[in-house]
Amino acid sequence: MNEVLIGPFRQLLTMRDLPLKGALNDSQLEVIEQGGLWIENGKVKAVGDFETLRSQAGDAVEVELIARDKVCLPSFVDCHTHIAFGGNRANDFAMRNAGSSYLEIAQAGGGIWSTVKHTREATQEELKELTKRRAACLLAQGITTVEVKSGYGLNKEEELKTLRAVKQANAELEMDLVPTCLAAHMKPKDFEGTAKEYLALMAADLFPVLKEEKLTERIDAFIEQTAFSAEDIQDYFKKAKELGFKITVHADQFSTSGSAVAVAFDAVSADHLEASTDAEIALLADSDVVAVALPAASLGIGCAFTPARRLLDAGASLAIATDWNPGSAPMGQLIASAGILATMEKLSNAEVLAAVTFRAAQALNLSDRGRLVEGQLADFVLYDTNNYQNITYLQGALQPSAVWKNGIAVRS
Ligand code: NIG
Ligand code: FE
């Protein structure tokens, strides 16, 4: 038995009993003053008043006393990233800010395709190292579960190289990487055929290997005028579902139609949604699809934020993720970007914290993390502060002083 009791925390936030969907206010948060966390074999055995737990635990349980004012809460889940990439797109950023259009940037050698070229140039080992380095930056922010998409390979071998690199990185890291296949990011410029032909080839050739090598359980697609249409994607998603993959969608980033596809295919999440109107919001709110806001992408390209307030008020589930990628979202800062979204969209602390913990876990179909309650993974962060409100208030300036994964301190 590997048991430890940690505390007393100035505040322990459990996220207990908060619903998966809809608006939240801060009075719904369970905040235990002088709280304790009892961990057994990497999972939460009990939470509650520290002294009460201490008398229950007895001498057999190791006790780790927390000396200073600290706040403890579930560690974060970043449910949408593209961190397995080569190269850099600083020039796209500069050109965009100087007024260049999407087309002009692509013509000057930028855009998604330029990252595809750089990613193809990297070896699997290099890609693994780049992924690990970026994952370490996320871990320092208190993120212990990170979704990682392919989508800069865009042919069978290159998509496999990326997902194998992610699998290897996952094996070498003290955090969980959740891989997703985004072969449907755009039709590659070197593919001679239609969008549907490209997708059919990927479904026939790539999907079986993903299964064989257990490289991912998730299939994503970018539904957009510049990528794939709702019609293009039908057979691809049908095939994916037949094989048992979960679906997730880059939806309504610049134009609508992606969220309707997400709902029709029972996707786990619809991500972006900057262009969603009342119709898409109502559709999502009526479904179990988690709406994922990516405020760092709005900041990266200078466009509207996802209508997070209206989504929550309509009853949708809202997660927030970094979308860390070299093009639209280079910052890779979860709490900073979530704290900014909170001011722009008027989100409560409870809504922001839910969006980066159990609601983000739900977007990855993971129900074993994101709350500090009995039976959940003992994945948590500690902040040197006496008030949890400081986390969103300081918009990323307050960083965790320790990060625990599966009951082990992986950063302290
Ligand atoms: O999530 N929207 C499409 N894909 C990425 C951007 C990819 C890129 O520009 O490299 C996104 O924003
Ligand atoms: Fe993305």
PDB file of all heavy atoms in Angstrom, residues 322-344:
ATOM      1  N   THR A 322      -5.404  25.329 -25.277  1.00  0.00           N
ATOM      2  CA  THR A 322      -4.427  26.283 -25.845  1.00  0.00           C
ATOM      3  C   THR A 322      -4.422  26.302 -27.370  1.00  0.00           C
ATOM      4  O   THR A 322      -4.022  27.303 -27.960  1.00  0.00           O
ATOM      5  CB  THR A 322      -2.975  25.951 -25.427  1.00  0.00           C
ATOM      6  OG1 THR A 322      -2.647  24.645 -25.936  1.00  0.00           O
ATOM      7  CG2 THR A 322      -2.794  26.020 -23.933  1.00  0.00           C
ATOM      8  N   ASP A 323      -4.771  25.168 -28.028  1.00  0.00           N
ATOM      9  CA  ASP A 323      -4.616  25.055 -29.488  1.00  0.00           C
ATOM     10  C   ASP A 323      -3.164  25.300 -29.902  1.00  0.00           C
ATOM     11  O   ASP A 323      -2.908  25.703 -31.038  1.00  0.00           O
ATOM     12  CB  ASP A 323      -5.538  26.066 -30.210  1.00  0.00           C
ATOM     13  CG  ASP A 323      -5.684  25.776 -31.696  1.00  0.00           C
ATOM     14  OD1 ASP A 323      -5.369  24.652 -32.123  1.00  0.00           O
ATOM     15  OD2 ASP A 323      -6.102  26.691 -32.443  1.00  0.00           O
ATOM     16  N   TRP A 324      -2.237  25.092 -28.995  1.00  0.00           N
ATOM     17  CA  TRP A 324      -0.840  25.457 -29.289  1.00  0.00           C
ATOM     18  C   TRP A 324      -0.419  24.895 -30.644  1.00  0.00           C
ATOM     19  O   TRP A 324      -0.408  23.695 -30.863  1.00  0.00           O
ATOM     20  CB  TRP A 324       0.069  24.932 -28.177  1.00  0.00           C
ATOM     21  CG  TRP A 324       1.463  25.491 -28.229  1.00  0.00           C
ATOM     22  CD1 TRP A 324       1.983  26.355 -29.151  1.00  0.00           C
ATOM     23  CD2 TRP A 324       2.524  25.210 -27.314  1.00  0.00           C
ATOM     24  NE1 TRP A 324       3.284  26.644 -28.863  1.00  0.00           N
ATOM     25  CE2 TRP A 324       3.654  25.946 -27.745  1.00  0.00           C
ATOM     26  CE3 TRP A 324       2.636  24.416 -26.170  1.00  0.00           C
ATOM     27  CZ2 TRP A 324       4.883  25.904 -27.071  1.00  0.00           C
ATOM     28  CZ3 TRP A 324       3.851  24.367 -25.507  1.00  0.00           C
ATOM     29  CH2 TRP A 324       4.961  25.113 -25.958  1.00  0.00           C
ATOM     30  N   ASN A 325      -0.126  25.792 -31.574  1.00  0.00           N
ATOM     31  CA  ASN A 325       0.363  25.422 -32.905  1.00  0.00           C
ATOM     32  C   ASN A 325       1.177  26.592 -33.437  1.00  0.00           C
ATOM     33  O   ASN A 325       1.092  27.701 -32.906  1.00  0.00           O
ATOM     34  CB  ASN A 325      -0.831  25.073 -33.826  1.00  0.00           C
ATOM     35  CG  ASN A 325      -1.631  26.298 -34.256  1.00  0.00           C
ATOM     36  OD1 ASN A 325      -1.159  27.116 -35.042  1.00  0.00           O
ATOM     37  ND2 ASN A 325      -2.846  26.442 -33.731  1.00  0.00           N
ATOM     38  N   PRO A 326       1.992  26.366 -34.476  1.00  0.00           N
ATOM     39  CA  PRO A 326       2.892  27.444 -34.913  1.00  0.00           C
ATOM     40  C   PRO A 326       2.191  28.551 -35.700  1.00  0.00           C
ATOM     41  O   PRO A 326       2.760  29.641 -35.871  1.00  0.00           O
ATOM     42  CB  PRO A 326       3.889  26.708 -35.808  1.00  0.00           C
ATOM     43  CG  PRO A 326       3.137  25.525 -36.314  1.00  0.00           C
ATOM     44  CD  PRO A 326       2.211  25.118 -35.215  1.00  0.00           C
ATOM     45  N   GLY A 327       0.972  28.289 -36.187  1.00  0.00           N
ATOM     46  CA  GLY A 327       0.317  29.271 -37.046  1.00  0.00           C
ATOM     47  C   GLY A 327      -0.622  30.184 -36.295  1.00  0.00           C
ATOM     48  O   GLY A 327      -0.319  31.354 -36.038  1.00  0.00           O
ATOM     49  N   SER A 328      -1.767  29.629 -35.886  1.00  0.00           N
ATOM     50  CA  SER A 328      -2.804  30.491 -35.312  1.00  0.00           C
ATOM     51  C   SER A 328      -2.646  30.723 -33.818  1.00  0.00           C
ATOM     52  O   SER A 328      -3.173  31.704 -33.288  1.00  0.00           O
ATOM     53  CB  SER A 328      -4.184  29.879 -35.581  1.00  0.00           C
ATOM     54  OG  SER A 328      -4.288  28.621 -34.955  1.00  0.00           O
ATOM     55  N   ALA A 329      -1.949  29.842 -33.113  1.00  0.00           N
ATOM     56  CA  ALA A 329      -1.922  29.949 -31.642  1.00  0.00           C
ATOM     57  C   ALA A 329      -0.535  29.623 -31.094  1.00  0.00           C
ATOM     58  O   ALA A 329      -0.308  28.580 -30.494  1.00  0.00           O
ATOM     59  CB  ALA A 329      -2.963  29.016 -31.023  1.00  0.00           C
ATOM     60  N   PRO A 330       0.410  30.539 -31.296  1.00  0.00           N
ATOM     61  CA  PRO A 330       1.791  30.226 -30.886  1.00  0.00           C
ATOM     62  C   PRO A 330       2.059  30.366 -29.394  1.00  0.00           C
ATOM     63  O   PRO A 330       3.108  29.944 -28.931  1.00  0.00           O
ATOM     64  CB  PRO A 330       2.628  31.227 -31.694  1.00  0.00           C
ATOM     65  CG  PRO A 330       1.706  32.347 -32.032  1.00  0.00           C
ATOM     66  CD  PRO A 330       0.325  31.773 -32.102  1.00  0.00           C
ATOM     67  N   MET A 331       1.159  30.935 -28.608  1.00  0.00           N
ATOM     68  CA  MET A 331       1.529  31.265 -27.222  1.00  0.00           C
ATOM     69  C   MET A 331       1.590  30.065 -26.269  1.00  0.00           C
ATOM     70  O   MET A 331       2.428  30.028 -25.379  1.00  0.00           O
ATOM     71  CB  MET A 331       0.654  32.386 -26.648  1.00  0.00           C
ATOM     72  CG  MET A 331      -0.718  31.991 -26.160  1.00  0.00           C
ATOM     73  SD  MET A 331      -1.778  33.411 -25.741  1.00  0.00           S
ATOM     74  CE  MET A 331      -1.231  33.866 -24.128  1.00  0.00           C
ATOM     75  N   GLY A 332       0.713  29.108 -26.422  1.00  0.00           N
ATOM     76  CA  GLY A 332       0.783  27.907 -25.586  1.00  0.00           C
ATOM     77  C   GLY A 332       0.623  28.152 -24.099  1.00  0.00           C
ATOM     78  O   GLY A 332       1.255  27.488 -23.285  1.00  0.00           O
ATOM     79  N   GLN A 333      -0.218  29.094 -23.734  1.00  0.00           N
ATOM     80  CA  GLN A 333      -0.405  29.445 -22.316  1.00  0.00           C
ATOM     81  C   GLN A 333      -1.875  29.234 -21.947  1.00  0.00           C
ATOM     82  O   GLN A 333      -2.743  30.012 -22.371  1.00  0.00           O
ATOM     83  CB  GLN A 333      -0.025  30.914 -22.074  1.00  0.00           C
ATOM     84  CG  GLN A 333       1.441  31.220 -22.318  1.00  0.00           C
ATOM     85  CD  GLN A 333       2.337  30.589 -21.272  1.00  0.00           C
ATOM     86  OE1 GLN A 333       1.983  30.519 -20.096  1.00  0.00           O
ATOM     87  NE2 GLN A 333       3.481  30.097 -21.707  1.00  0.00           N
ATOM     88  N   LEU A 334      -2.151  28.207 -21.150  1.00  0.00           N
ATOM     89  CA  LEU A 334      -3.551  27.852 -20.886  1.00  0.00           C
ATOM     90  C   LEU A 334      -4.244  28.832 -19.939  1.00  0.00           C
ATOM     91  O   LEU A 334      -5.301  29.374 -20.263  1.00  0.00           O
ATOM     92  CB  LEU A 334      -3.633  26.422 -20.330  1.00  0.00           C
ATOM     93  CG  LEU A 334      -5.055  25.919 -20.071  1.00  0.00           C
ATOM     94  CD1 LEU A 334      -5.869  25.877 -21.355  1.00  0.00           C
ATOM     95  CD2 LEU A 334      -5.048  24.547 -19.422  1.00  0.00           C
ATOM     96  N   ILE A 335      -3.667  29.052 -18.765  1.00  0.00           N
ATOM     97  CA  ILE A 335      -4.375  29.876 -17.783  1.00  0.00           C
ATOM     98  C   ILE A 335      -4.351  31.355 -18.197  1.00  0.00           C
ATOM     99  O   ILE A 335      -5.319  32.088 -17.976  1.00  0.00           O
ATOM    100  CB  ILE A 335      -3.791  29.658 -16.367  1.00  0.00           C
ATOM    101  CG1 ILE A 335      -3.942  28.175 -15.959  1.00  0.00           C
ATOM    102  CG2 ILE A 335      -4.477  30.548 -15.341  1.00  0.00           C
ATOM    103  CD1 ILE A 335      -5.367  27.641 -15.940  1.00  0.00           C
ATOM    104  N   ALA A 336      -3.262  31.789 -18.834  1.00  0.00           N
ATOM    105  CA  ALA A 336      -3.226  33.172 -19.335  1.00  0.00           C
ATOM    106  C   ALA A 336      -4.354  33.391 -20.339  1.00  0.00           C
ATOM    107  O   ALA A 336      -5.130  34.352 -20.231  1.00  0.00           O
ATOM    108  CB  ALA A 336      -1.867  33.463 -19.971  1.00  0.00           C
ATOM    109  N   SER A 337      -4.462  32.492 -21.308  1.00  0.00           N
ATOM    110  CA  SER A 337      -5.487  32.708 -22.343  1.00  0.00           C
ATOM    111  C   SER A 337      -6.896  32.493 -21.780  1.00  0.00           C
ATOM    112  O   SER A 337      -7.832  33.210 -22.155  1.00  0.00           O
ATOM    113  CB  SER A 337      -5.220  31.840 -23.570  1.00  0.00           C
ATOM    114  OG  SER A 337      -5.165  30.474 -23.236  1.00  0.00           O
ATOM    115  N   ALA A 338      -7.037  31.562 -20.841  1.00  0.00           N
ATOM    116  CA  ALA A 338      -8.359  31.349 -20.224  1.00  0.00           C
ATOM    117  C   ALA A 338      -8.749  32.559 -19.378  1.00  0.00           C
ATOM    118  O   ALA A 338      -9.920  32.965 -19.343  1.00  0.00           O
ATOM    119  CB  ALA A 338      -8.343  30.080 -19.373  1.00  0.00           C
ATOM    120  N   GLY A 339      -7.763  33.153 -18.693  1.00  0.00           N
ATOM    121  CA  GLY A 339      -8.036  34.342 -17.875  1.00  0.00           C
ATOM    122  C   GLY A 339      -8.439  35.537 -18.733  1.00  0.00           C
ATOM    123  O   GLY A 339      -9.257  36.373 -18.316  1.00  0.00           O
ATOM    124  N   ILE A 340      -7.877  35.608 -19.926  1.00  0.00           N
ATOM    125  CA  ILE A 340      -8.274  36.677 -20.861  1.00  0.00           C
ATOM    126  C   ILE A 340      -9.686  36.412 -21.390  1.00  0.00           C
ATOM    127  O   ILE A 340     -10.527  37.314 -21.436  1.00  0.00           O
ATOM    128  CB  ILE A 340      -7.236  36.791 -22.002  1.00  0.00           C
ATOM    129  CG1 ILE A 340      -5.920  37.336 -21.438  1.00  0.00           C
ATOM    130  CG2 ILE A 340      -7.758  37.681 -23.137  1.00  0.00           C
ATOM    131  CD1 ILE A 340      -4.721  37.190 -22.355  1.00  0.00           C
ATOM    132  N   LEU A 341      -9.956  35.162 -21.748  1.00  0.00           N
ATOM    133  CA  LEU A 341     -11.317  34.823 -22.208  1.00  0.00           C
ATOM    134  C   LEU A 341     -12.338  35.162 -21.123  1.00  0.00           C
ATOM    135  O   LEU A 341     -13.438  35.640 -21.426  1.00  0.00           O
ATOM    136  CB  LEU A 341     -11.407  33.335 -22.577  1.00  0.00           C
ATOM    137  CG  LEU A 341     -12.748  32.916 -23.179  1.00  0.00           C
ATOM    138  CD1 LEU A 341     -12.939  33.511 -24.571  1.00  0.00           C
ATOM    139  CD2 LEU A 341     -12.897  31.395 -23.242  1.00  0.00           C
ATOM    140  N   ALA A 342     -11.950  34.944 -19.869  1.00  0.00           N
ATOM    141  CA  ALA A 342     -12.885  35.232 -18.756  1.00  0.00           C
ATOM    142  C   ALA A 342     -13.292  36.704 -18.756  1.00  0.00           C
ATOM    143  O   ALA A 342     -14.467  37.024 -18.558  1.00  0.00           O
ATOM    144  CB  ALA A 342     -12.233  34.854 -17.426  1.00  0.00           C
ATOM    145  N   THR A 343     -12.341  37.602 -19.003  1.00  0.00           N
ATOM    146  CA  THR A 343     -12.708  39.030 -18.990  1.00  0.00           C
ATOM    147  C   THR A 343     -13.524  39.405 -20.220  1.00  0.00           C
ATOM    148  O   THR A 343     -14.423  40.234 -20.140  1.00  0.00           O
ATOM    149  CB  THR A 343     -11.462  39.949 -18.931  1.00  0.00           C
ATOM    150  OG1 THR A 343     -10.693  39.778 -20.118  1.00  0.00           O
ATOM    151  CG2 THR A 343     -10.608  39.656 -17.727  1.00  0.00           C
ATOM    152  N   MET A 344     -13.205  38.805 -21.354  1.00  0.00           N
ATOM    153  CA  MET A 344     -13.905  39.167 -22.590  1.00  0.00           C
ATOM    154  C   MET A 344     -15.316  38.593 -22.635  1.00  0.00           C
ATOM    155  O   MET A 344     -16.225  39.182 -23.208  1.00  0.00           O
ATOM    156  CB  MET A 344     -13.117  38.667 -23.817  1.00  0.00           C
ATOM    157  CG  MET A 344     -11.706  39.185 -23.916  1.00  0.00           C
ATOM    158  SD  MET A 344     -11.571  40.984 -23.843  1.00  0.00           S
ATOM    159  CE  MET A 344     -12.220  41.442 -25.443  1.00  0.00           C
TER     160      MET A 344
END
